[in-house]
Amino acid sequence: ETGVTQTPRHLVMGMTNKKSLKCEQHLGHNAMYWYKQSAKKPLELMFVYNFKEQTENNSVPSRFSPECPNSSHLFLHLHTLQPEDSALYLCASSQVASGSYNEQFFGPGTRLTVL
Amino acid sequence: LAKTTQPISMDSYEGQEVNITCSHNNIATNDYITWYQQFPSQGPRFIIQGYKTKVTNEVASLFIPADRKSSTLSLPRVSLSDTAVYYCLVGLMDSNYQLIWGAGTKLIIKP
């Protein structure tokens, strides 16, 4: 148990569906992250929120839309996804997202399959 | 941008010391090097972090040579439960949030 929870753990959706992934951290951290993990590829950082402000986009397609209503919750809204978006989506948190690296605590991930 | 390179896989036996090396060309002066461990169906978990020379904690050691172009994670006396994927991560302090993850090394420990 890392103190970071993600729901759902598994999600299957069609290309025309709209769904949302949820992440919650119970660590009192101020920074939260979304990562995409595809088979045999490095983790890809998608979004960073520092004190609820988005600070990194990394050229993620607009069909992925993040939302951070407070420091403890992070959402990833999905719409009109493509089959190549199938992957494990990981949420992480850290004390802050400063210039120096901070230890990140990861949730178990949501396994997403796009049909 | 710094890029990390790790072996795709490694095998070892229980009780042995395992060393996993990561190459990181063009690492910047202020970058830190971090290693994570990931088990199936779980997110990565922090193991150790260092800047130069040697760092040791209760589970691993990290060796970084003077030129910092590589680093070696050392796991002493491994057990079956150390079977996992190990990631090398270089943090770029002068390029906001450009955290460069390696592709990971799948370590298999045999009885």
Side-chain angles (χ1 to χ4, degrees), chain A residues 9 35 37 42-43 45 50 55-56 58 88 90 97-101 103-104 106-108, chain B residues 32 34 36 38 41-44 46 49 87 89 91-93 96-99 101-103:
Chain A
R9 293 293 308 275
Y35 282 91
Q37 186 172 35
L43 269 72
L45 179 61
N50 199 30
T55 56
E56 176 64 43
N58 261 350
L88 182 68
L90 291 162
S98 68
S100 60
Y101 179 72
E103 178 182 350
Q104 296 182 30
F106 284 83
Chain B
Y32 279 76
T34 311
Y36 279 79
Q38 186 176 24
S41 302
Q42 295 185 25
F46 175 90
Q49 182 182 75
Y87 292 95
L89 169 62
L92 300 179
M93 293 181 61
N96 288 339
Y97 316 122
Q98 294 298 315
L99 303 176
W101 289 72

Side-chain angles (χ1 to χ4, degrees), chain A residues 32-43:
Chain A
M32 297 187 76
Y33 311 77
W34 278 117
Y35 282 91
K36 176 183 179 182
Q37 186 172 35
S38 303
K40 301 182 179 180
K41 292 179 66 177
L43 269 72

Side-chain angles (χ1 to χ4, degrees), chain B residues 41-111:
Chain B
S41 302
Q42 295 185 25
R45 184 180 70 171
F46 175 90
I47 301 175
I48 196 167
Q49 182 182 75
Y51 179 77
K52 63 180 179 181
T53 62
K54 177 182 176 182
V55 179
T56 297
N57 62 23
E58 62 277 8
V59 298
S61 295
L62 179 60
F63 299 91
I64 305 170
D67 66 6
R68 303 197 336 118
K69 292 185 177 181
S70 67
S71 60
T72 298
L73 173 71
S74 181
L75 304 172
R77 298 179 301 282
V78 293
S79 64
L80 296 177
S81 62
D82 291 316
T83 294
V85 179
Y86 292 82
Y87 292 95
C88 167
L89 169 62
V90 174
L92 300 179
M93 293 181 61
D94 59 357
S95 182
N96 288 339
Y97 316 122
Q98 294 298 315
L99 303 176
I100 309 298
W101 289 72
T105 297
K106 185 172 184 178
L107 175 65
I108 298 174
I109 305 301
K110 302 175 181 179

Side-chain angles (χ1 to χ4, degrees), chain A residues 1 7 10 12 15 30 33 37 52 67 98:
Chain A
E1 188 63 45
T7 54
H10 300 273
V12 179
M15 290 189 285
N30 296 298
Y33 311 77
Q37 186 172 35
K52 299 189 296 179
E67 178 189 2
S98 68

